[in-house]
Amino acid sequence: KLGTASRSDGLGTGEEDFHVQLDVYGRAGEFTPFATLGYKFLGDPPGVNLRDVLYLDLGATRRIDERRSAGLLWHGQERTTAAGKPQSELNGYYLVRLDAVWKAQLYGIVGLADGSPDFGAGAFLIRNF
């Protein structure tokens, strides 16, 4: 992530962040289990001591039919500051292929730790290139 957001306006840290991750997945009938193991190298803005952190995602997607799939993902991450809390959350999602180019996805999040949001929801509109 490039540090282009304004720190003075509260839009970001103004520092670059780098992530390195390994993704593994495989088919098991109608299910696709997956895992991500990653490490974030966080920039150090003045006056804030951010820690580099390890994160892990575990989940599976189930293909419903040619156009639809649904899945569940657990995300965990170490705390980014000395006073911060680690993250642990569940993310459920439902994806629909609208045509050969477009997909829509709905998702919901439930936090399992003090460092995660209590809940959340959203939607994506995704264009394949």
Side-chain angles (χ1 to χ4, degrees):
K1 174 190 75 64
L2 299 177
T4 58
S6 171
R7 184 170 192 264
S8 61
D9 290 338
L11 300 175
T13 64
E15 300 290 324
E16 283 73 33
D17 298 335
F18 300 94
H19 297 211
V20 175
Q21 70 181 42
L22 173 66
D23 298 309
V24 179
Y25 65 93
R27 279 259 166 114
E30 296 176 356
F31 291 91
T32 304
F34 58 86
T36 297
L37 177 63
Y39 198 79
K40 293 181 185 180
F41 299 91
L42 301 175
D44 279 323
V48 179
N49 185 17
L50 295 177
R51 297 178 175 190
D52 297 338
V53 295
L54 184 69
Y55 60 94
L56 176 66
D57 294 339
L58 299 171
T61 297
R62 182 183 185 277
R63 186 175 181 169
I64 299 168
D65 59 30
E66 292 295 320
R67 293 184 46 235
R68 301 176 299 148
S69 60
L72 188 63
L73 161 74
W74 173 81
H75 171 77
Q77 177 181 295
E78 296 178 310
R79 59 188 176 151
T80 57
T81 65
K85 306 284 186 193
Q87 296 177 359
S88 178
E89 55 203 42
L90 284 176
N91 180 336
Y93 54 91
Y94 178 76
L95 185 124
V96 177
R97 182 173 303 282
L98 303 173
D99 59 26
V101 176
W102 292 96
K103 296 185 278 189
Q105 180 176 326
L106 302 173
Y107 69 91
I109 298 172
V110 175
L112 305 174
D114 289 340
S116 295
D118 291 335
F119 59 89
F124 290 109
L125 186 59
I126 304 160
R127 185 181 194 286
N128 294 329
F129 290 96

